[in-house]
Amino acid sequence: MKIGPRTGEMENHFQHFWTREINGVPYFFIHVKISILRQPHLLVSRMDTHELVRCSCPRPDCPFA
């Protein structure tokens, strides 16, 4: 698996987000530091199809977890 460097990395008070290529496919990562439940979670989606590929959301009913 070839993983490229983080690009377009930005951070604000609530989110840290970046893009990176994995096997030539660009992915968008969003790390949400403060959520309603006060637990951080990470969302990963493909930039070409906008498909959510991973979500480490703390909600037990999250369909993407």
Side-chain angles (χ1 to χ4, degrees):
M1 178 185 297
K2 183 179 178 189
I3 300 175
R6 289 183 180 186
T7 55
E9 195 164 0
M10 294 180 67
E11 190 167 352
N12 61 31
H13 193 66
F14 300 104
Q15 295 178 338
H16 177 207
F17 41 94
W18 64 93
T19 59
R20 109 186 307 172
E21 281 194 8
I22 301 174
N23 291 338
V25 178
Y27 289 89
F28 186 63
F29 295 77
I30 304 174
H31 181 238
V32 182
K33 295 180 176 181
I34 301 172
S35 68
I36 296 170
L37 298 174
R38 299 285 182 216
Q39 294 180 3
H41 58 276
L42 179 71
L43 305 171
V44 182
S45 63
R46 284 182 65 140
M47 291 181 68
D48 54 351
T49 63
H50 303 289
E51 173 190 5
L52 188 63
V53 293
R54 185 174 134 209
C55 175
S56 57
C57 179
R59 285 180 26 209
D61 60 341
C62 179
F64 302 107

